[in-house]
C-alpha cells in the first residue's frame, strides 16, 4: 500500500475531493498547513514596522491507496490541484507497511 | 427596587423627563446584560457548544419580552392578595396611557414595565449556565416560558409588588438578590437534579474555549449592572440610586480581589476566570444589599461573597452534581450571602431606616426577615423548577442524545459551528459538494 | 424623528439639562452601533476578509463625521424648497452658539447635529455588507463621501427636514425606515448590480467565520438602537420616546422568534445566524413605525418583518444577485415592511393623530403617503447609487483583482490578517526574516 | 473637568436629578473603558500573553476602586497647600451624606467621587500596554497600588483640585490630557527604562493575535470616552458638555483619517491597527482641549495628533526602547499635543475665556501655562514611576523568567491559556490524566 | 524503526495516551485533522442556504517506535481508539530511515 | 528522495528556515502540532478544579530532499533547532517513492 500526500492550495480541496470520488476513492484526511517555496508570502504592516510573512496557507491531504492505484491517483490529484500558477504545491508517495481500520481491525487493502 | 415611593409633600408626582430618560438608559443597560451573559457563558463552554450557550440567552430575550407584555407584567405587578397580582389594563399594555405614571413615581408605567421586563429576561437566562452542552433547544424554550410564568412572576410579586407578602413583611431586596439570583440559582439546582450530568463530567477537563469572550461578557455584565442596580431606585431625586451605584462598583472590586486571593492561596495562580467569577459574585451579592449598606459595608459584602462563592464552586465535584458553569455556586450562594448580610450591615441611612445587627440597636429583626425571604424563594424555586424540568423531560424530553452531545450540540440543534478559521476561509471543513444549487434557493 | 415640536403653551422652550443629557447618551449609543455593525458583518464573512469588513464601517465613521460637520448637516437640515436645505451658519458649525436651541426643542443645536451625525455615519456603513470581499478600500472611501452627499443628505432632508417634501406630505418615519434602511438597502442593490458577484458565489459555502462575533454585533446593535429609536423624539417630556423604546424591544423579540420559527420549518434548525438576522429585521421594521403603533401592533410588525425578511434573503440565489450579507433582504425589505405597516397599524395615539387602516376611520390615506415615501426613496437611492458605483468603477475601479479576492482582501488592501492563533504566537505564518531592522524604523 | 462651578446667581445649587442621572451613566461609560482597554491591548499581543494583558487592566479596577474609596479621593480632592489634599470625612466615604452636593455643583459628592474613581482606575491600566508579556502579576498589582498613591493622586490634585497649583495657575485640562494621558505615558516610559525589552524585540514580528479584539476595544473605548469627556463638565445646564461631546467625535474621526493617510503614504496600506490607533490618538488629544476649541479646531487637533502619533510610534525601534503597545507614542505624545494645542486653538468661547495664539489677542500666555502643566506632570511621573519600578524590581522582582516569557506569561502567571479551539473542544492540548479526581474537589 | 500514524476520533486521545503509557511509550506528536470516509459530515444552514460539511474532525497521532514493537503498538492504539462506530479511523505504519533526538543528536532507538 | 520530518519547538522556526536557506533548500511545509515526551506540560486551574495539560505546542516541518542531501540536511535542521533543553524534539526521514510538482507535473528531483 502507499500513502499519497499532497500539499496544495486550499481552494482546490473541493476539486480534489470530486476527482477522487470520481476515481473511486472515498476517504481522505486533511490537515491545515503552510509552506513556502518559489511562492513567497506577503508584507504585513504593524504600527511603524513592516515585516514579511513568507509562509503561505496550504492544505495537506493524505490518501491511503493500493499499490496499483497509486500512480494513477497521483495523476488524478495533480490534475485536480493544478491552477498553473506558482505555489500549486507538491504530491509525494510513501511506502506503507501496515494499515488498519480501527473499527474492525481489518488490515491491508480491506482497511481502506 | 425602591422600597418606598418618593413623594414630595402632598403633591402628586409629575412626569420627570430626567428620571424618565435615566430609566430608559438603565433599561437599555439591563437589556445588554443578557447578551453579556451569553458571552460570559459562551466563552466558558467547549467550542462545540458555544452557539447553543449563546442561543439559550437570546431566546430568553425573545420569549420573555413577548410574554411580559402579554401578561407577565400584569401578574407580577398588579394588585393582589399577596401571592400573585393581576391588572386587566396591563394585559398587552393596551389600556395604558403614555403619560400615566407608575404609582407614586415620576416615570410612566411604560417605562417601569420595560425596565422590569429586562429583569424578567435575564433571570431565566441565568439558569442556562447550569445545563450547558446537553439540553434540547425546544425543551429549553418551553422551560423558559413555563418558568417565567410559574416561578419568576409570582416571586417577583412577593418581593417587589406593593401587595407582595415579602415586601409587606419588610424583606429588603433592592434590585433582585432573591427575585433574580437566588431564584435563578435555586431553579438551576432543581433542573440539574432532574437532568443529570454531562457525558464526561469529572473525567474531561472541559475548560473554557475562549477566556477573552468570558471577559467580554464580564465587562458587559458589570457595565449593564449599573443600570440594573442604580436604576432600581427609579430616579435620582435623592442620593440613594447613587449610593447603590457606588456600592455596586466597590463590592464588585472587593469580590474580585477576594476570589483571586482565595484562588492564589488554594491553587497557586490568579486566574482570569477567577477574576471574572469574583466580579460576578460581587455584583450578585450587592444587588439586594447595596441600597442599605455603606461603602465600607459594601467592601465587606463583596469580600465575603468573593471568598464564599470561590469556595462554593468546588462543591459540585464533591457532591457530584454537574452545575456546569456554576450558577448555583455563584448566583444562589452569592444571592443568599448578599441577602443575609443586609441583616448585619444595613446602616439605616440608605434606602430605609432598618438596621442590621452591627448598627442601630443591634437587633436581629431584619436578619430574620431576610431569612424568611431567602428561604421562601429558594424553596419555592427549587421545587417548582425541578417539577417543570421533570414534566418536560417526561413529555418532549430534556436532553439530546449522547452521540449528539459528544459530537457537539451546536451541530445537532443549530446546524452550525461557532468558528471557521481555516486558512482558506470555508475551505477545510466545509463543502458545497453535496449541496446542489437548488438546495440553496429559498423562496 | 419627532414629527412635531414640543412647545409648552406660549413659552419658548428652554434648554433642558435632562433632555440634553439624554440626547448625548443616545448619540453615544448610536455611535456604538457602527462598530456593532462592523462586528455583525465582520463575523459573517470568511476569515480572509474580516478586517476589510470592519474597516468599511470604521472608515465611514471617519469620513462622514468630518463631512457632516463641514456641510452635511447644513444641507440636510437647513431651510429649503423641499429638496435640499442650506444654512450658512451651520457650515463647519462655526456660527452656532453653545446654548442656541434646536428650533422648537429643548436641546442645543450642537446636540441635534451630533445625534443626526451618528445616523449619517451608520447609513452608508450598512451598504458595505452587500459588497463584502471584493471592493477596493479607496473606492469604498470615495463612494461613502459621494453617497453621503448625493444620496443621504437629500433623502434625510425630504423625510426629516422641516421643509422636506415628504415631511410636509405627512410621511411617517420616526427614526429612519426610509431615510436609513430603505435608503441603504436600495443603495446596496444599486451598487451590486454594477459590481457583480464574488468569485465562487453559489459554488462555495462562504459561511460565517465567527458566529460569536456576529452575536456581539447583534447585541451592540440592539443596545445602541434604543438610542437611535427612543432618542429620535429628542426628549422625554411626554411618553412618546418611552413608547418607542418599548416597541423597539417588543418588535425585535417578535421578529427574532418569527425568523427562527420560519427557519425551523423550512430548514429544520434554529440557527444562531437566524436569531441575529431576525432581531435586526425587527429593529429595522420598528424604526419607522414604533412611535405610531401599540405594543401589540409592534408584535405584529416584528413578526411580519421576521418572516418577510427570512423569506427574502433566499431570493438572491434565485435572482443570482450577490447581496453578500443580505443588506437588501434585511434592510430594504424590512424598511419597506415597517414603513408600509404604519399605514395599517398606526393607532393615532402615539407620535401623531394619523391612523392606519385597522384603526380610527379605517382610511387608507396614511398608507398611500407611506407608499409615496417608500417609493421615492427606494427609486432615488437605487438609481443614484448605481450611477455612483458605475462612475467610480469607470475611473479608479471598484473591484480588487480576482487573485487578490481569492487570496483574501485583507492582505491585499490592509496588509494584515485578522488572527494569529499559532501555538508560538507569531511563530508559524510569520517571519521577520525578510524584514531588515532598518525597515522597522519609522520616523 | 469643569474649570468653574456653575452657580445660578446667588442661589446655592440644588441636587439636579438630570445631572445626577447623567453623571451616573457617564461613570458607567468610563468604567466600561477599562475592559475596552483590556481588549484593545489584549488583541494586540501574541496569543500566549493575551490573558495577562486582560488581567493587568481588570486588577487595576479592583485595586484602585478600593483604595480610592479608602483614601484616594480624600487626598486627591481634599483641600490643600496646592500639592496634596486631605479631607478626613471622605476617608472611606464614611461621613458623607447621600444628598451632600459637590461644592458648587448640582450632583452629590458620592457621584463626583465615583466618576473620578473611574478615571483613577483606567490611568494605571493604560501603562500596562508598555510592559506586555514580561511582568510578574504580583509586581504589577503592587505597582498599581503604589503608583496610584504616589503619582496619580498628587497629579490629579494639582490639575483638578480646587487648591491644586496647576489649576490655580490656569492650566487647562478639561478631562485629563495631563492627569491621565501624559501621566500614564510618561509613567510607562519610566517603567520600561527600568525593566527593559521583551525577549525577541526587533527580531520577532510580534504581531497582534486578534485584530477584531483590538477593534472591539477601540469601539468600547470610543463609546465610553463620551462619558469621560462630556461627563467632565458635571452636568448639562449649559452647552459646554455638548461641545465637548461634538469635539470628541470630530477629533477622533480626523485623527483616524490622518493616521490612515500617513500610513498609506509611508507603508502603502490602510491598516486596521492604524485606524484603531488613530482613533485613540484623537481621543487622547481632544481630552484636554475639547472644551476650549471649536469643531473646526477639533479637526485640526485630531489631524495633528493622528500624524504626530503615527510618526512617534516608529521611534521605539530607533531608540531601541520596547514600549510594547505604544503607550508612550500614543498617550504621552497625544496628551502633549492635545495640551499644547490648546495654547493655539482655544477660542475663548467654550469652557473659559482664555484664548490661544490663533484667537483673541493672539497672546502666548495660555500656551506657556500649558507648557508648565505638561512639563511638570511629565517630569514628575517619569521619575517617580521609574523609581517605583526600580524599588519593586530590587525587592520582589519585576520580570518573569526568560523561559516563562518565551513559553507565554499566561501559563506561568495565570495557569491558563486564552483559547481552546481544538476540534474536540478540550481534546487536544488538554488532559485530565494527571489530575486525580480528588484534585478537583475544592472545599 | 517505524513511524506509526493514527487518524482517530478526537475524544479517544486520552485513552490512547493512557494505553501507550501502559505499554511503555512515553512520547507522541499530535496534529488536528479532519477527514471523511464512510462517515460523512452534517448539514449546516446559512440564511436561505443549506450545505453539507463532509469533513469530520479527527486527530492525527504520530509515534516513532522500534521495529519490534511496532505491530504490537498498532494493536494497542487500535484497541484504545475503537468505539465500534463508523469513523473510528485508520492506523498505518511507515518505515523510518533515520531518527534523531534534536537535543542530544542521538540516533536510532536512542532517539526515542 | 527522502521526506525529512522535524517536530521542534515553535520559536526555532526562523532559525531552521535560515539554516535551510543557507544550505540551499528553498521550500518546506509546516503544520502546527503538539506533543509530549520527557517534557510534560503544565497545570491549568479552572474554578475549583486543577488539571494537567500535558501536550506542549510544537511545529512539524516537512522537507523533501534528494537522497544525497538528506543526512546532511538532517544535521542542519538538528543544529538549527537545538536549544539544549528537553523538548527540543525529533527529526526523522522516510523514503519517498515519487514526488511531483503540481504546477508542471515534473517528477523526482526536478519537483523540488
Ligand atoms: N522541498 C520541499 N519540501 C516540502 N514541501 C515543499 C518543498 N518545496 C515546496 N514545498 C511545498 O510546496 C508548496 C509550493 O511550492 P512552490 O515552490 O511555492 O511552488 P511550485 O511547486 O508551484 O513551484 C510550498 O508552499 C510548500 O508547502
Ligand atoms: N483512504 C484513506 N486515506 C486516508 N485517510 C482515510 C482514508 N479513508 C478514511 N480515512 C480517514 O479515516 C477516517 C475514518 O474513516 P471512515 O471510512 O469514515 O470510517 P471507518 O474507518 O470506521 O470505516 C476518515 O475520517 C479519514 O480521516
Ligand atoms: N516516540 C515519539 N514519537 C513521536 N514523537 C515523539 C516521540 N517522543 C517524543 N516525540 C516528540 O518530540 C517532542 C520532544 O520530546 P521530549 O521527549 O519531550 O524531548 P527530548 O526529545 O528533548 O528528549 C515531543 O513533544 C513530541 O512531539
Amino acid at each position: 500500500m502507499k500513502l499519497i500526500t499532497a500539499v496544495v492550495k486550499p481552494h482546490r480541496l473541493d476539486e480534489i475531493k470530486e476527482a477522487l470520488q470520481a476515481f473511486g476513492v472515498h476517504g481522505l484526511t486533511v490537515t491545515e498547513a503552510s509552506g513556502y517555496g518559489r511562492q513567497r508570502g506577503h508584507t504585513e504592516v504593524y504600527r511603524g514596522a513592516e515585516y514579511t510573512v513568507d509562509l503561505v496557507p496550504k492544505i495537506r491531504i493524505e490518501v491511503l491507496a493500493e499499490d496499483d492505484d497509486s500512480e494513477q491517483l497521483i495523476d488524478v490529484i495533480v490534475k485536480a490541484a493544478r491552477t498553473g500558477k506558482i505555489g500549486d504545491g507538491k504530491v509525494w508517495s510513501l511506502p506503507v507497511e501496515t494499515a488498519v481500520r480501527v473499527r474492525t481491525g481489518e488490515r491491508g487493502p480491506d482497511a481502506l | 427596587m425602591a422600597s418606598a415611593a418618593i413623594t414630595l409633600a402632598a403633591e402628586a408626582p409629575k412626569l420627570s423627563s430626567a428620571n424618565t430618560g435615566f430609566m430608559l438608559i438603565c433599561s437599555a443597560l439591563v437589556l445588554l446584560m443578557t447578551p453579556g451573559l451569553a458571552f460570559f457563558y459562551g466563552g466558558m463552554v467547549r467550542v462545540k457548544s458555544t452557539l447553543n450557550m449563546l442561543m439559550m440567552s437570546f431566546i430568553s430575550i425573545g420569549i420573555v419580552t413577548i410574554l411580559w407584555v402579554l401578561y407577565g407584567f400584569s401578574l407580577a405587578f398588579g394588585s393582589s392578595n399577596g401571592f400573585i397580582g393581576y391588572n386587566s389594563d396591563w394585559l398587552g399594555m393596551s389600556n395604558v396611557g403614555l403619560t400615566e405614571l407608575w404609582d407614586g413615581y415620576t416615570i410612566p408605567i411604560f417605562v417601569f414595565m420595560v425596565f422590569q421586563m429586562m429583569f424578567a429576561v435575564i433571570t431565566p437566562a441565568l439558569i442556562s449556565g447550569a445545563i450547558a452542552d446537553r439540553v434540547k433547544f425546544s425543551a429549553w424554550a418551553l422551560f423558559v416560558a413555563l418558568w417565567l410564568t410559574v416561578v419568576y412572576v409570582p416571586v417577583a410579586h412577593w418581593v417587589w409588588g406593593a401587595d407582595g407578602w415579602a415586601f409587606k413583611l419588610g424583606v429588603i431586596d433592592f434590585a433582585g438578590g432573591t427575585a433574580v439570583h437566588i431564584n435563578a440559582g435555586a431553579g438551576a439546582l432543581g433542573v440539574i437534579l432532574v437532568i443529570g450530568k454531562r457525558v464526561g463530567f469529572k473525567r474531561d477537563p472541559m475548560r473554557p474555549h475562549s477566556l477573552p469572550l468570558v471577559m467580554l461578557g464580564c465587562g458587559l455584565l458589570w457595565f449593564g449592572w449599573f443600570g440594573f442596580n442604580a436604576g432600581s431606585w427609579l430616579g435620582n431625586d435623592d442620593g440613594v440610586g447613587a449610593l447603590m451605584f457606588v456600592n455596586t462598583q466597590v463590592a464588585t472590586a472587593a469580590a474580585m480581589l477576594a476570589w483571586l486571593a482565595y484562588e492564589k492561596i488554594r491553587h497557586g495562580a490568579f486566574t482570569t476566570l477567577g477574576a471574572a467569577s469574583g466580579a460576578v459574585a460581587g455584583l450578585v451579592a450587592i444587588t439586594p444589599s447595596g441600597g442599605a449598606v455603606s461603602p465600607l459595608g459594601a467592601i465587606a459584602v463583596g469580600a465575603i461573597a468573593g471568598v464564599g462563592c470561590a469556595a462554593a464552586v468546588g462543591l459540585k465535584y464533591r457532591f457530584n452534581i454537574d452545575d456546569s458553569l456554576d450558577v448555583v455556586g455563584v448566583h444562589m450562594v452569592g444571592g443568599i450571602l448578599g441577602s443575609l448580610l443586609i441583616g448585619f450591615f444595613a446602616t439605616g441611612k440608605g434606602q430605609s431606616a432598618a438596621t442590621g445587627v452591627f448598627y442601630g440597636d443591634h437587633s436581629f429583626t431584619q436578619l430574620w426577615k431576610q431569612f424568611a425571604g431567602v428561604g421562601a424563594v429558594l424553596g419555592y424555586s427549587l421545587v417548582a423548577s425541578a417539577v417543570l424540568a421533570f414534566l418536560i423531560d417526561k413529555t418532549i424530553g430534556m436532553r439530546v442524545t449522547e452521540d449528539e452531545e459528544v459530537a457537539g450540540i451546536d451541530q445537532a440543534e443549530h446546524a452550525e459551528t461557532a468558528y471557521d478559521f481555516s486558512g482558506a476561509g470555508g475551505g477545510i471543513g466545509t463543502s458545497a459538494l453535496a449541496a446542489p444549487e437548488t438546495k440553496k434557493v429559498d423562496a
Side-chain angles (χ1 to χ4, degrees), chain A residues 3 25-30 62-65 101-103 111-112:
Chain A
L3 176 70
V25 171
H26 299 291
L28 54 73
T29 300
V30 185
E62 287 173 304
V63 188
L64 287 169
R101 182 195 304 281
V102 170
R103 175 161 49 91
L112 297 190

Side-chain angles (χ1 to χ4, degrees), chain B residues 1-3 77 112 115-116 160 173-176 232-234 351:
Chain B
M1 189 52 36
S3 67
F77 286 94
F112 181 70
F115 182 66
Q116 282 299 327
W160 289 327
D173 186 0
F174 196 92
S232 285
W233 195 247
L234 307 184
Q351 61 177 120

Side-chain angles (χ1 to χ4, degrees), chain B residues 396-417:
Chain B
I396 65 172
M398 283 292 278
R399 293 188 65 151
V400 297
T401 67
E402 192 174 321
D403 275 2
E404 286 170 340
E405 191 182 327
V406 169
I409 191 167
D410 286 0
Q411 280 177 20
E413 292 288 298
H414 305 290
E416 289 170 302
T417 40

Side-chain angles (χ1 to χ4, degrees), chain A residues 96-108:
Chain A
V96 174
E97 307 219 325
T98 329
V100 190
R101 182 195 304 281
V102 170
R103 175 161 49 91
T104 57
E106 290 159 291
R107 300 205 165 211

Side-chain angles (χ1 to χ4, degrees), chain B residues 203-205 403 406 411 414-417 427-436 439-442:
Chain B
R203 184 193 67 204
D204 303 337
D403 275 2
V406 169
Q411 280 177 20
H414 305 290
E416 289 170 302
T417 40
I428 299 201
T430 67
S431 167
L433 267 195
K439 274 296 254 181
K440 289 188 169 173
V441 178
D442 178 9

Side-chain angles (χ1 to χ4, degrees), chain A residues 1-107:
Chain A
M1 222 179 305
K2 303 283 182 251
L3 176 70
I4 300 167
T5 305
V7 176
V8 298
K9 289 188 173 157
H11 69 274
R12 303 310 292 172
L13 178 58
D14 282 346
E15 277 79 2
I16 296 173
K17 282 198 305 196
E18 271 179 83
L20 288 175
Q21 208 91 18
F23 184 76
V25 171
H26 299 291
L28 54 73
T29 300
V30 185
T31 42
E32 298 224 12
S34 53
Y36 70 92
R38 298 200 192 165
Q39 186 196 19
R40 310 302 295 219
H42 59 279
T43 301
E44 298 210 356
V45 173
Y46 171 45
R47 268 194 192 161
E50 271 177 46
Y51 54 91
T52 301
V53 176
D54 54 13
L55 292 170
V56 180
K58 300 284 167 195
I59 55 168
R60 186 174 177 285
I61 299 173
E62 287 173 304
V63 188
L64 287 169
E66 296 188 43
D67 288 330
D68 299 348
D69 293 346
S70 73
E71 280 302 304
Q72 226 181 317
L73 212 51
I74 290 176
D75 291 341
V76 166
I77 294 174
V78 165
K79 218 175 126 227
R82 184 176 294 162
T83 69
K85 304 209 180 111
I86 58 163
D88 269 358
K90 316 283 175 198
V91 179
W92 63 80
S93 77
L94 307 173
V96 174
E97 307 219 325
T98 329
V100 190
R101 182 195 304 281
V102 170
R103 175 161 49 91
T104 57
E106 290 159 291
R107 300 205 165 211

